[in-house]
Amino acid sequence: MLKRIYLVLFLIFLLPVRANFILLPMDDVSQKNHLKAYGITYWCLDKQYKASWLLNYRGGSFLLPDAPEIRKECQIRNVSFELLSDGEANQILEEISSPSQNMETVILEKAPKIAVYTPKGKQPWDDAVTMVLTYAEIPFTPIYDEEVLSDQLILYDWLHLHHEDFTGQYGKFFGAYRNAPWYIDQKKEAEALATKLGYSKVSEEKLAVAKKIRDFVIGGGFMFAMCSATESFDIALSADGVDICEPMFDGDASEGNYQSKIDYSNTFAFKDFILERRPEKYEFSDIDMSVKRKIPMEKDYFTLMEFSAKWDVIPTMLCQNHTQLVKGFMGQSTSFERELVKSNVLVLGECQLNEEARYIHGQKGKGFFTYYGGHDPEDYEHRVGDEPTVLDLHPNSPGFRLILNNILFPAAKKKKQKT
């Protein structure tokens, strides 16, 4: 009799565990690899599986259907998962739906088509988003000026801009790197591309690109920008028809008294900023706080704002994390002067020591944009030529998680926000 009991128990353990759902927990204790969990969720959407984002439940967990290939993919990518019965899943969803809980369930409908604005031959350490997309195994298409100007943005849901300069001043690297071979080569390549596309100046060609991106957002696209792309994009739009480039950038003098001709109504996020005229200065304007902030590295953190998950679904999605306190990091545009952020733009993350804005979000037309200050969330002061960040060493990075929140945002079934 005992042998029969042992045999039955043995056979039970050999059978696959029966479940209805897979939970990818995203809290700070249970998940081995937060970044790749986003990749699993994207992979499921791409395979036509249903998925739900459980906002504020265990760090913003993902609920997926149970399937052998999903389990296998989680195991291959070293992503922690839990098996749930129908009853257990319903219990979680009931808890989330309770009016007393600041939680919400968001249905993810489709895998967004992702484009990354990046020149050919760009070094991998230049772009934190490219790095984290590659690490999370989320597919993307590199595009640049030719694709943008030929209206190929219509093929994508999501566009990323990183360390870019849309003003035609070559990243304001003139002061430190004017004689560096890479700077000279990049300047020649930019000029050749502008000529090829029918423009007499790089600044004119980049403005045309910025306008196409603006129209992409207004038409319903989603734009995510980091580092200098945040500032330079808004500055380029505000200086439409105004020459703000000095002779070393475009061959002729800038327009007299150009500051008074800046049109702030053209920008996405910023107002009343003063442009940096000096070509040798590694700054575009007083929007950036890099020089003004005076915060030591050991105290450099920013806090994610808390929103009502049931009423303000979009900002809640963008702030999902396993911690509210995220360590800061530098960039050409590290953070934003709070007084220069337009009143209709939401501040999602701020440094409480000086109230600077680190992470902001807004709507333009039918589309949305998010600006994230800094260059690389796990490299405090990234310099030209530094080795790329190895994300295998940072699989639970809160700073990189914010980037991936934005990747999944276009996949969500939208609800109107009340804020």
Side-chain angles (χ1 to χ4, degrees):
M1 190 67 180
L2 266 175
K3 284 183 180 180
R4 284 185 182 179
I5 293 172
Y6 286 135
L7 181 60
V8 169
L9 290 173
F10 178 70
L11 290 174
I12 288 172
F13 283 118
L14 283 180
L15 292 172
V17 177
R18 296 189 66 185
N20 296 97
F21 293 94
I22 291 175
L23 179 77
L24 305 186
M26 297 294 278
D27 55 88
D28 59 345
V29 175
S30 306
Q31 185 52 255
K32 289 181 290 189
N33 197 314
H34 288 91
L35 305 185
K36 284 187 180 288
Y38 287 89
I40 291 289
T41 304
Y42 187 98
W43 180 87
C44 287
L45 294 172
D46 200 39
K47 294 280 188 180
Q48 308 300 313
Y49 285 107
K50 294 179 181 179
S52 295
W53 198 350
L54 310 183
L55 304 185
N56 291 347
Y57 178 79
R58 294 178 65 181
S61 301
F62 299 108
L63 187 65
L64 311 172
D66 184 30
E69 63 174 345
I70 298 178
R71 295 193 198 187
K72 183 179 179 182
E73 204 65 31
C74 289
Q75 291 163 348
I76 290 171
R77 301 192 195 189
N78 198 33
V79 171
S80 307
F81 66 95
E82 299 172 11
L83 300 174
L84 302 177
S85 67
D86 211 5
E88 289 169 325
N90 285 334
Q91 191 174 358
I92 290 170
L93 295 175
E94 284 177 17
E95 178 188 350
I96 290 171
S97 66
S98 169
S100 66
Q101 298 294 331
N102 186 23
M103 301 178 188
E104 183 61 298
T105 301
V106 171
I107 305 300
L108 301 178
E109 296 183 300
K110 66 168 187 172
K113 293 179 181 177
I114 299 168
V116 174
Y117 179 83
T118 182
K120 295 175 177 64
K122 191 171 185 178
Q123 295 297 318
W125 42 260
D126 277 344
D127 192 340
V129 173
T130 304
M131 285 194 299
V132 76
L133 286 175
T134 302
Y135 179 74
E137 300 178 58
I138 296 174
F140 63 93
T141 303
I143 64 169
Y144 204 49
D145 294 354
E146 290 179 272
E147 290 83 0
V148 173
L149 293 174
S150 62
D151 293 319
Q152 291 185 38
L153 284 179
I154 197 171
L155 302 173
Y156 304 97
D157 304 301
W158 191 94
L159 174 67
H160 165 60
L161 320 170
H162 199 77
H163 189 88
E164 310 293 347
D165 180 4
F166 293 96
T167 70
Q169 298 177 93
Y170 307 105
K172 296 296 292 284
F173 281 119
F174 178 79
Y177 296 103
R178 72 189 82 175
N179 296 317
W182 65 264
Y183 178 85
I184 295 169
D185 289 343
Q186 283 188 6
K187 187 172 185 292
K188 286 179 180 177
E189 289 167 5
E191 290 168 346
L193 180 58
T195 301
K196 177 184 175 182
L197 295 173
Y199 297 88
S200 59
K201 292 182 178 182
V202 171
S203 57
E204 294 172 355
E205 187 256 325
K206 290 296 184 184
L207 173 61
V209 170
K211 286 180 173 181
K212 288 286 188 182
I213 295 171
R214 174 201 63 193
D215 294 345
F216 162 76
V217 176
I218 290 173
F222 183 81
M223 181 185 81
F224 176 79
M226 281 188 76
C227 201
S228 60
T230 58
E231 260 189 286
S232 71
F233 180 78
D234 264 25
I235 290 170
L237 293 177
S238 73
D240 187 0
V242 183
D243 187 348
I244 64 172
C245 294
E246 302 304 328
M248 66 286 298
F249 300 128
D250 68 352
D252 57 28
S254 62
E255 199 166 319
N257 197 27
Y258 65 65
Q259 181 63 54
S260 65
K261 302 171 185 177
I262 296 301
D263 187 350
Y264 302 110
S265 68
N266 287 342
T267 66
F268 276 28
F270 303 119
K271 64 179 182 179
D272 303 333
F273 49 83
I274 305 299
L275 301 182
E276 176 53 67
R277 293 191 66 107
R278 292 169 291 178
E280 70 279 1
K281 187 76 172 174
Y282 186 58
E283 287 281 2
F284 287 101
S285 73
D286 61 346
I287 295 170
D288 176 44
M289 293 289 291
S290 293
V291 177
K292 297 179 284 186
R293 59 203 308 266
K294 309 294 183 187
I295 297 174
M297 183 174 72
E298 61 274 11
K299 293 183 179 179
D300 196 355
Y301 287 85
F302 63 96
T303 303
L304 296 175
M305 313 296 272
E306 188 172 359
F307 297 91
S308 170
K310 289 180 173 59
W311 293 97
D312 295 315
V313 180
I314 291 173
T316 303
M317 276 191 283
L318 299 180
C319 289
Q320 290 303 286
N321 225 310
H322 48 284
T323 174
Q324 264 194 294
L325 199 62
V326 183
K327 64 180 180 180
F329 51 100
M330 303 288 283
Q332 183 173 20
S333 301
T334 298
S335 53
F336 317 120
E337 176 68 65
R338 189 69 172 267
E339 293 180 358
L340 302 182
V341 177
K342 289 184 174 182
S343 59
N344 64 331
V345 174
L346 280 176
V347 174
L348 303 178
E350 67 171 4
C351 177
Q352 295 189 336
L353 290 178
N354 63 358
E355 296 186 339
E356 67 185 10
R358 291 295 308 242
Y359 184 42
I360 62 178
H361 174 76
Q363 185 168 359
K364 191 74 171 177
K366 295 179 181 178
F368 301 88
F369 64 91
T370 299
Y371 287 174
Y372 188 17
H375 191 82
D376 183 333
E378 293 299 335
D379 187 345
Y380 184 74
E381 194 174 8
H382 190 88
R383 297 184 180 276
V384 173
D386 282 358
E387 289 297 311
T389 296
V390 178
L391 282 176
D392 275 325
L393 302 177
H394 308 282
N396 310 106
S397 169
F400 272 105
R401 269 199 72 177
L402 296 180
I403 297 173
L404 295 174
N405 286 342
N406 286 269
I407 294 290
L408 285 185
F409 165 64
K413 187 175 182 180
K414 305 299 186 295
K415 293 184 180 180
K416 284 189 177 181
Q417 60 179 0
K418 303 297 182 181
T419 299

